[in-house]
Amino acid sequence: MLLDPKALAKLSTVKLRARAVVEGVLSGLHKSPHQGQSVEFAEHKEYAPGDEIRHIDWKAYGKFDKYYVKRYEHETNLRAFIAIDASASMSYRSNGLSKLDVACALGAALAYLLVRQQDAVGLLVLRADGARYIPPRAAAGHLQTIIEALEGLEGKGTTRLAAAADLLSEKARRRAAVFLFSDLFDEDPHALKRLLQLRLRKNDLSVFHVLDRAEIEFPFEDNTLFLSMEDDRSQQANPREIRDSYLEEMKAFIDGARERCNEQDSDYELVRTDEPLDKVLLRYLARRERGR
Amino acid sequence: MGFEFANPAFLWGTMLAALPLVIHLFNRRRARPHPFAAIDFVLRSRRRTARRLRLKRLLLFLARTLLLLAVPIALARPQPKRADALATPQGPAATAIVVDTSLSMSYQRDGRALLDRAKEMAQKALADLAPEDPVTVVTCEPAAPPPKAPGFDRAEARRAIDAVAQTFMPQDLTACLVRAARALGESTIPAKRILLATDLTAASFRLDVPAPTIQTSQGEVKPEVVLLDAGGGASELPNVAITHLRVEPAPAVAYRAYQFSLTISNYSGEPKEDLAATLKVGDHVVAKGFVDVPARGTTVKTLTYRFPAGGVYSGAVELGGDALAADDARFFTVRVPRDVSALIINGSPHTVRFLDESFFVQSALDAPGSPVRPKLRDADAVGEERFADYDLVLLLNVRELPGAKVRELAEAVANGAGLFVSLGEKVDPDLFNQAFGALLPRQLHLVKTAVEPRSEGAQEKAARLVQVDFEHPALSVFGGEAREGLLSARTYRYFLLSPGAAGQVSQLATYDDGAPALIEGRHGKGRVILYTSTVDREWSDWPIRTSFLPLLQRLAGWLAGTLDERAVEQVRVGEPKPLSPPEGAEGIRFKSPEGAEIAPENADGAVVLAQTELPGVYRADGRIKGVATRVEELDFSVNVDPVESNLARLDERELKAYFGEKTRTTKVAGSEEAAPEVPLWSMLLAAAVGLFFVEGLLARK
């Protein structure tokens, strides 16, 4: 199966992975909820530098002696931000794809789907040494820009979800869809809460909680020296001795994240790196559909 | 208190106790580094479980370390160090190890036989000997070969001690020590030592003979005697035993009834109450009784049983088992008389029943409970009868028989049949002597009339029986007032007998004038009793006396050879049993109580069964006239010697006085003050098993 994570891992580029995922998604959709863009007139807007000159309504100019730009329905299409946590912890992999690989593939696939239905997609790569931002555009060529930005992305530094929240609220000033891909491992216990405040600004926030199988199941047996991936902390432990406690902690963490998202009416999707990604997307889209 | 170890080499194994620490350190070093994104959760889990894990690890570490310590220490067989170890500073000593195997050594103390303790002590003592001490092992059984000269083959000595087996016989340890001393005399090492593992019961020693000495180049020396006290220093070994069993007929109870009189001895300071005594015939309990025995006293308990038919019966009387079980049972083999077939030949029949010569005899022999099955024939109708078919023939006032029948009768008697002869007016002395003279103990002479019957004063003038042999088996039942029934009989007329040679003739009773009344003789294998008067009321009133019925029945039994079979033999373990195989018997084999087949031996022309080492019933098989069959008449029982039941122990001072001041006593095996009930090594092993389970439980959690 092409979309098996192990098989997907063999595809070297994000683009190929994204395409493979999207194809899986498209073949899995029975009826597309996106029927193409509308070209009907929606409203006038006073011209501002940067607006398309070809959209100036000359009739309105004749009436009011002011430049007005015509806005069409398609221009009210979704503005989407794909935010990817690229901290060092995201580069963890127990087998096959790392969490970052999975986040990139899913992000690219989403971008593809959005661009395909004329939505504007932007990218925000969150990392400790500064975020990389690509503003949303609906142009077909824009997808290539996003995929190139995701290509070869490496996890570095610590997770700063609070900073990401600030950045996103700055960039997504009006209603936008935000797709966050992160393991949510943040030192700040209120980081997720800060992120979820994006909902207060009418943004549509979807959290893809990406976790490795080993992080969820803790399958280690032998005496192990666990090393932090973001700082110099370490802990030697006999995994069998702490497994029960670890699993309890992890379950509380996942349940807590899901609960907080639900409280803020945000979508929460737990993504295991060992599950087929098209299924993840289909599951997500199906839930979205049910929510409408 | 220190410890010593039977297998000290195993102590190297205690080094394994460091293994858990080594593994712990190794695992710490070996921990595989693994970058892990969810390290926060690992840290939190560690913090949460740290205290519990620390305790668990500590317990696991302790359990594993103790387990690895306990196993090798247990295998090393630790035991408290004895103050009386054998190593002596005087240098090497030739050593003889003597193990007492007498019956008393089967005494169970704390679940173990004293012999097992004695062997263990002997093995320990052997291990404690210095390498330069030559050693020999001496067994005390009389049939044991002479002991070897002391040598250095420890393995052989160990095997010899292991091979020492329990016997059921008493043993003369003094004689055994003399044998040991003789063996020690063959060693050139001047120092001599005897290690005697025994229960110190007084019955095993003869302190009235000189203590053993050894002839050496330096003269006669007394060996050092080390007593290994298998009794563990106990002040007494309490025991209750059946020390004697008397089995005898109880004719007063019933025909074929026997009474079993058990003498029960209590060799302890505590009285015993309600001891159950059971009588078993075969495997069936047929009688049971309870008995109280005072402290250090004896009680006789009698149990009675009536055997259903004649034959050979074996069984046992038993007490509830105590520490010395072997003397709680005594075995017996009883030959219960079979029915006697008798032919009454009536020489003076009468149409009136009570005037008939045989009336009283037949009534007496045919009475309920009588062992005799009589058949009545007139003298002139006896031609059809074969005397050989009868155990007993009674000639009652018979004048004569055909010559062929007389010869046949003589032959039957010679082959073992009994003959009872009574006289009367029909008997002509000359004719009778001519016909039956060869059978009679003495010849008839003439008739004497003491007084005419039914005449005035006849009762007072009549002859009376005097000088009755009440020791005779047929007459022994008459005791006390019962004798009056016999002595009160009046005889008016009787035959006088011709003088004859003494020897095989015995007078059972005489009249007051000294003339024989009852006289017994033998003809071949058969017995003949002559009564010199009548057995009807013509010449005597004895038939109407109370003694007539029992005496006639017993005389019938005696003459038929069934009364004397009642004597119950007492054979002790180890005693040879002389045998009298029946005619035509061959290939006789015995089955011992354990089921082993034993063949009798011919010794000095007599057949003897020598191997009677086990108490119990020995049953005989063989071939009679070529047919394989049980030969029950040869069955017999063997019992232990009651001397072994008295477990009174010798005092250490007495032994020192006897063997010399160098005598020492060790009590390690089961010493009341030192040795634990359970050996230390087994407790360690039990602890190791417990630790193993604890470890498993902790490791799983």
Side-chain angles (χ1 to χ4, degrees):
Chain A
M1 179 179 168
L2 185 60
L3 298 180
D4 176 78
K6 287 179 185 168
L8 212 56
K10 291 176 186 165
L11 300 178
S12 57
T13 64
V14 174
K15 184 177 180 181
L16 286 174
R17 287 175 193 158
R19 177 164 290 173
V21 172
V22 166
E23 281 171 3
V25 171
L26 290 181
S27 62
L29 289 173
H30 300 291
K31 184 184 172 190
S32 172
H34 311 285
Q35 297 297 323
Q37 69 182 76
S38 167
V39 290
E40 285 182 22
F41 171 76
E43 60 179 349
H44 279 105
K45 168 191 172 285
E46 200 169 348
Y47 173 78
D51 290 339
E52 292 274 353
I53 294 172
R54 60 189 172 102
H55 288 157
I56 292 174
D57 185 349
W58 297 109
K59 286 181 180 173
Y61 175 73
K63 280 182 184 173
F64 306 110
D65 200 20
K66 277 187 178 175
Y67 295 111
Y68 287 95
V69 179
K70 270 182 163 180
R71 299 195 71 174
Y72 296 91
E73 195 61 44
H74 74 272
E75 283 187 313
T76 63
N77 276 5
L78 191 66
R79 268 162 48 88
F81 290 92
I82 291 170
I84 289 178
D85 175 6
S87 63
S89 66
M90 285 293 284
S91 60
Y92 178 73
R93 81 180 78 205
S94 60
N95 198 9
L97 294 173
S98 71
K99 292 188 283 185
L100 189 58
D101 291 339
V102 168
C104 289
L106 281 174
L110 262 180
Y112 185 92
L113 287 173
L114 291 165
V115 168
R116 190 170 166 271
Q117 61 187 27
Q118 305 296 318
D119 289 331
V121 181
L123 175 69
L124 199 59
V125 177
L126 308 165
R127 45 203 303 179
D129 55 352
R132 177 168 184 199
Y133 176 64
I134 298 174
R137 291 240 168 75
H142 189 58
L143 181 65
Q144 185 59 32
T145 313
I146 289 174
I147 286 173
E148 278 172 9
L150 293 175
E151 203 73 67
L153 197 59
E154 285 180 13
K156 278 183 189 168
T158 54
T159 310
R160 295 268 163 81
L161 288 179
D166 294 342
L167 194 60
L168 276 168
S169 56
E170 181 195 329
K171 300 294 180 190
R173 275 189 296 250
R174 59 189 180 94
R175 291 179 66 164
V178 178
F179 302 95
L180 173 67
F181 294 87
S182 172
D183 55 14
L184 304 181
F185 293 161
D186 196 304
E187 285 177 3
D188 182 358
H190 305 295
L192 181 60
K193 199 174 169 186
R194 291 275 301 277
L195 262 176
L196 289 169
Q197 283 174 351
L198 287 170
R199 279 291 297 160
L200 301 176
R201 305 180 69 169
K202 307 289 184 192
N203 291 308
D204 182 3
L205 178 63
S206 296
V207 176
F208 288 83
H209 193 180
V210 186
L211 290 174
D212 192 275
R213 183 187 75 89
E215 290 169 335
I216 296 172
E217 295 176 359
F218 205 62
F220 309 103
E221 291 292 333
D222 297 333
N223 214 8
T224 307
L225 178 63
F226 293 100
L227 304 170
S228 172
M229 298 178 75
E230 297 186 353
D231 51 34
D232 53 1
R233 288 176 301 164
S234 66
Q235 176 64 56
Q236 182 178 324
N238 183 341
R240 281 172 296 184
E241 290 176 345
I242 61 166
R243 179 174 294 120
D244 289 346
S245 173
Y246 175 93
L247 293 178
E248 211 174 289
E249 291 272 349
M250 179 55 74
K251 184 173 182 304
F253 171 65
I254 293 171
D255 289 348
R258 181 184 285 117
E259 200 175 315
R260 278 198 286 280
C261 288
N262 290 341
E263 281 170 4
Q264 295 296 329
D265 201 19
S266 296
D267 287 323
Y268 173 88
E269 191 64 44
L270 178 65
V271 181
R272 288 172 61 116
T273 56
D274 59 342
E275 64 180 326
L277 300 186
D278 56 339
K279 277 192 182 168
V280 176
L281 272 187
L282 280 172
R283 192 167 68 223
Y284 168 74
L285 293 174
R287 190 163 58 243
R288 294 276 298 183
E289 187 64 18
R290 280 198 302 275
R292 282 190 178 185
Chain B
M1 181 177 65
F3 287 93
E4 55 191 359
F5 298 88
N7 309 308
F10 279 108
L11 289 177
W12 287 103
T14 53
M15 294 176 75
L16 290 172
L19 213 55
L21 184 66
V22 171
I23 290 173
H24 174 70
L25 294 175
F26 178 72
N27 276 345
R28 273 177 78 97
R29 285 193 166 191
R30 204 184 56 135
R32 195 164 52 87
H34 182 81
F36 191 57
I39 183 108
D40 283 335
F41 297 88
V42 175
L43 289 167
R44 279 205 291 274
S45 302
R46 274 288 297 176
R47 272 199 296 277
R48 274 179 60 185
T49 56
R51 183 175 295 177
R52 185 172 56 83
L53 281 178
R54 202 174 301 131
L55 179 65
K56 180 184 149 182
R57 275 194 189 153
L58 185 68
L59 289 174
L60 253 178
F61 179 76
L62 275 174
R64 286 169 178 165
T65 306
L66 290 175
L67 175 66
L68 291 171
L69 267 178
V71 172
I73 291 176
L75 291 176
R77 304 278 292 261
Q79 54 195 27
K81 191 174 256 177
R82 291 176 297 145
D84 47 7
L86 287 170
T88 50
Q90 289 89 355
T95 304
I97 297 176
V98 181
V99 182
D100 179 2
T101 59
S102 60
L103 169 69
S104 60
M105 293 294 282
S106 66
Y107 189 91
Q108 298 280 325
R109 192 152 182 262
D110 302 327
R112 287 183 74 200
L114 297 188
L115 181 65
D116 292 340
R117 291 165 180 265
K119 285 163 74 172
E120 186 185 321
M121 293 174 86
Q123 292 283 20
K124 184 73 187 68
L126 177 67
D128 285 352
L129 290 179
E132 59 272 22
D133 292 340
V135 67
T136 182
V137 177
V138 182
T139 52
C140 295
E141 294 155 49
K148 293 180 179 175
F152 293 94
D153 189 345
R154 292 290 195 265
E156 186 188 11
R158 273 197 297 276
R159 283 196 299 274
I161 293 171
D162 279 339
V164 169
Q166 179 70 58
T167 71
F168 289 86
M169 289 181 279
Q171 277 176 357
D172 182 356
L173 285 182
T174 308
C176 195
L177 292 176
V178 170
R179 294 175 71 199
R182 206 172 297 141
L184 289 179
E186 294 180 36
S187 170
T188 53
I189 295 175
K192 313 287 184 185
R193 181 198 290 136
I194 295 177
L195 303 174
L196 173 59
T198 176
D199 53 6
L200 294 178
T201 51
S204 300
F205 291 90
R206 282 188 295 131
L207 302 186
D208 52 339
V209 299
T213 54
I214 301 165
Q215 197 65 42
T216 66
S217 55
Q218 296 161 355
E220 204 167 64
V221 296
K222 267 191 172 183
E224 176 197 12
V225 177
V226 180
L227 297 163
L228 307 174
D229 181 5
S235 54
E236 87 168 357
L237 301 172
N239 183 35
V240 178
I242 305 176
T243 48
H244 187 65
L245 171 65
R246 184 177 168 81
V247 184
E248 55 192 349
V253 177
Y255 174 61
R256 291 199 209 100
Y258 277 72
Q259 71 179 28
F260 299 78
S261 303
L262 304 70
T263 304
I264 302 166
S265 301
N266 180 3
Y267 297 105
S268 75
E270 294 283 325
K272 301 288 176 186
E273 293 176 353
D274 292 333
L275 283 178
T278 53
L279 168 62
K280 275 185 178 174
V281 174
D283 293 329
H284 303 287
V285 175
V286 296
K288 196 167 186 175
F290 293 92
V291 61
D292 296 342
V293 194
R296 306 199 191 288
T298 59
T299 299
V300 176
K301 174 73 182 173
T302 301
L303 299 171
T304 309
Y305 177 62
R306 182 180 180 275
F307 290 93
V312 179
Y313 294 88
S314 294
V317 286
E318 294 175 353
L319 284 181
D322 62 3
L324 186 58
D327 63 4
D328 293 335
R330 284 193 97 76
F331 301 90
F332 61 82
T333 300
V334 180
R335 286 156 179 82
V336 179
R338 64 187 183 281
D339 289 349
V340 175
S341 59
L343 178 64
I344 303 171
I345 302 174
N346 188 354
S348 178
H350 199 285
T351 50
V352 180
R353 186 81 183 92
F354 70 89
L355 296 177
D356 191 278
E357 184 73 29
S358 66
F359 171 70
F360 293 100
V361 171
Q362 190 186 8
S363 302
L365 296 184
D366 218 6
S370 167
V372 187
R373 301 287 165 262
K375 190 174 181 183
L376 181 63
R377 283 285 178 271
D378 290 346
D380 50 3
V382 83
E384 295 172 2
E385 295 296 335
R386 288 183 65 242
F387 295 130
D389 294 340
Y390 296 91
D391 299 316
L392 171 64
V393 177
L394 298 101
L395 295 179
L396 309 184
N397 197 11
V398 173
R399 181 179 177 77
E400 61 181 345
L401 288 177
K405 296 308 287 183
V406 172
R407 283 193 295 279
E408 187 189 333
L409 178 62
E411 190 183 343
V413 174
N415 285 332
L419 177 63
F420 178 84
V421 180
S422 70
L423 306 173
E425 79 284 354
K426 295 279 184 188
V427 174
D428 175 76
D430 295 335
L431 202 61
F432 202 83
N433 286 339
Q434 195 180 349
F436 302 106
L439 286 168
L440 296 175
R442 283 179 40 197
Q443 304 288 301
L444 306 187
H445 183 47
L446 54 83
V447 175
K448 177 181 176 180
T449 303
V451 62
E452 278 300 327
R454 291 176 289 278
S455 65
E456 194 175 336
Q459 285 292 310
E460 288 75 30
K461 293 175 186 168
R464 298 175 183 222
L465 293 176
V466 292
Q467 292 183 11
V468 179
D469 180 8
F470 287 111
E471 298 294 317
H472 190 277
L475 293 159
S476 61
V477 290
F478 295 97
E481 291 180 0
R483 291 184 181 181
E484 190 55 31
L486 187 62
L487 299 175
S488 62
R490 302 288 185 269
T491 305
Y492 312 109
R493 191 172 291 154
Y494 50 91
F495 269 89
L496 296 176
L497 304 180
S498 301
Q504 291 216 336
V505 176
S506 56
Q507 291 191 124
L508 307 186
T510 62
Y511 298 111
D512 42 12
D513 63 353
L518 270 173
I519 185 167
E520 181 187 357
R522 290 199 80 100
H523 180 76
K525 293 179 182 172
R527 294 185 178 119
V528 180
I529 286 182
L530 172 63
Y531 174 53
T532 56
S533 189
T534 61
V535 286
D536 64 2
R537 295 185 62 191
E538 281 297 312
W539 289 8
S540 167
D541 69 353
W542 181 41
I544 62 168
R545 298 288 174 179
T546 54
S547 59
F548 185 76
L549 184 143
L551 179 55
L552 211 65
Q553 285 187 1
R554 288 190 68 78
L555 285 174
W558 173 251
L559 289 168
T562 57
L563 267 193
D564 54 349
E565 288 174 359
R566 294 189 173 200
V568 176
E569 299 162 286
Q570 299 280 345
V571 181
R572 285 184 184 164
V573 283
E575 283 181 358
K577 160 72 178 157
L579 304 167
S580 305
E583 265 185 41
E586 53 186 2
I588 298 291
R589 291 281 186 281
F590 280 85
K591 272 205 174 131
S592 78
E594 280 187 339
E597 198 168 87
I598 319 166
E601 303 157 14
N602 282 309
D604 301 329
V607 185
V608 165
L609 189 73
Q611 293 163 270
T612 57
E613 292 89 357
L614 296 175
V617 179
Y618 289 68
R619 299 172 203 279
D621 292 298
R623 287 191 308 280
I624 295 180
K625 294 174 185 169
V627 180
T629 181
R630 280 271 287 118
V631 191
E632 285 183 329
E633 52 265 52
L634 289 181
D635 288 0
F636 67 98
S637 296
V638 171
N639 284 302
V640 297
D641 193 327
V643 75
E644 282 292 307
S645 299
N646 186 353
L647 304 179
R649 286 156 56 82
L650 285 174
D651 190 56
E652 197 172 343
R653 284 171 304 173
E654 291 176 83
L655 292 166
K656 273 196 172 176
Y658 179 69
F659 288 117
E661 278 307 307
K662 283 194 288 181
T663 306
R664 286 181 291 151
T665 308
T666 66
K667 307 162 185 171
V668 277
S671 173
E672 279 161 1
E673 68 278 6
E677 292 282 320
V678 183
L680 191 57
W681 62 269
S682 56
M683 286 196 286
L684 280 169
L685 273 187
V689 171
L691 286 168
F692 179 76
F693 282 110
V694 167
E695 195 272 346
L697 212 64
L698 287 171
R700 186 182 289 186
K701 278 193 171 181

